[in-house]
Amino acid sequence: MGLLRFGPAHGFPVHVPVHHFMIWNVLLATVPVALALVLFRRRERGSSFVWWCGFGAWVLFLPNAPYILTDVVHMVDDVQATPSRLRAYEILGVYGVFFAVGLASYVISLQLFRRFMHRVAPPSIVAPVMLTLHGLCVVAMYLGRFVRLNSWDAVLAPGAVAASVIGVPRASTVALLASMFVVVGAGAFATAVVGSKVLAEVRRLAS
């Protein structure tokens, strides 16, 4: 895949690696946030057919946010192919921003949904629903990275998606999914904690 490079700047060439798939993945990662802002801003659950279609689209597109983390495989390749340590730092910085966008999108989407659930559902089911949703996202990340399925395949090719899901329960796959569940969950939790502290500090300074 080709790279987009930015430069020169102030007379010095700047080589910042930005793959085309990175731009595409960032755009996909913003879809669940945009949908969440529309769907979960009400105090009550929507009852219209359009609302439920939007909710279904949100569930299907939500895994695109944490999916960005799986592009670490490309980061490793780019670092190994870099001709200098400086370029390696540039690559790590760009991917760091890339991963942060994905995690932030995932956390914001889930937080909006969690607050919505607390308004419309019994408190006892909120945690199980959130964990189940996180688990489904991890499975979708696996299907996207290793089976190369997309969110819209659930509508356009449901048979292929069903066959891939049926093939998941293997020891090696389950171990990988468990690791992804923990790593992505820990990353999302850390992002939520840091984000809440930063937001609280900004509000304190603004008050």
Side-chain angles (χ1 to χ4, degrees), residues 1-145:
M1 300 181 188
L3 292 175
L4 301 178
R5 302 186 186 278
F6 298 93
H10 304 296
F12 296 94
V14 178
H15 303 285
V16 180
V18 180
H19 292 277
H20 292 90
F21 70 78
M22 295 170 74
I23 298 174
W24 175 244
N25 285 352
V26 166
L27 291 175
L28 289 177
T30 63
V31 172
V33 173
L35 290 173
L37 289 171
V38 174
L39 291 168
F40 307 135
R41 65 182 178 181
R42 297 181 178 179
R43 298 191 61 83
E44 302 294 336
R45 185 183 68 238
S47 58
S48 69
F49 176 74
V50 173
W51 189 93
W52 282 106
C53 287
F55 180 75
W58 179 76
V59 172
L60 290 177
F61 277 92
L62 181 61
N64 286 295
Y67 176 82
I68 287 180
L69 298 178
T70 68
D71 286 322
V72 67
V73 296
H74 300 297
M75 183 188 74
V76 173
D77 292 339
D78 288 343
V79 169
Q80 290 178 341
T82 187
S84 67
R85 183 173 296 180
L86 179 60
R87 282 292 311 283
Y89 292 152
E90 292 175 354
I91 291 170
L92 292 175
V94 170
Y95 273 96
V97 172
F98 186 52
F99 298 152
V101 170
L103 276 175
S105 176
Y106 188 52
V107 168
I108 293 171
S109 298
L110 289 180
Q111 290 283 43
L112 291 171
F113 178 63
R114 181 181 62 80
R115 293 175 184 177
F116 176 77
M117 286 290 294
H118 277 295
R119 295 197 302 266
V120 303
S124 60
I125 73 168
V126 174
V129 168
M130 298 301 294
L131 289 174
T132 300
L133 185 60
H134 177 61
L136 291 174
C137 284
V138 168
V139 173
M141 290 168 64
Y142 168 83
L143 296 178
R145 171 54 58 193

Side-chain angles (χ1 to χ4, degrees), residues 116-182:
F116 176 77
M117 286 290 294
H118 277 295
R119 295 197 302 266
V120 303
S124 60
I125 73 168
V126 174
V129 168
M130 298 301 294
L131 289 174
T132 300
L133 185 60
H134 177 61
L136 291 174
C137 284
V138 168
V139 173
M141 290 168 64
Y142 168 83
L143 296 178
R145 171 54 58 193
F146 297 101
V147 188
R148 308 308 297 167
L149 294 176
N150 296 302
S151 297
W152 45 86
D153 286 326
V155 177
L156 300 180
V161 174
S164 299
V165 171
I166 292 173
V168 164
R170 291 176 295 182
S172 58
T173 304
V174 171
L176 176 61
L177 291 175
S179 299
M180 292 172 63
F181 185 94
V182 172

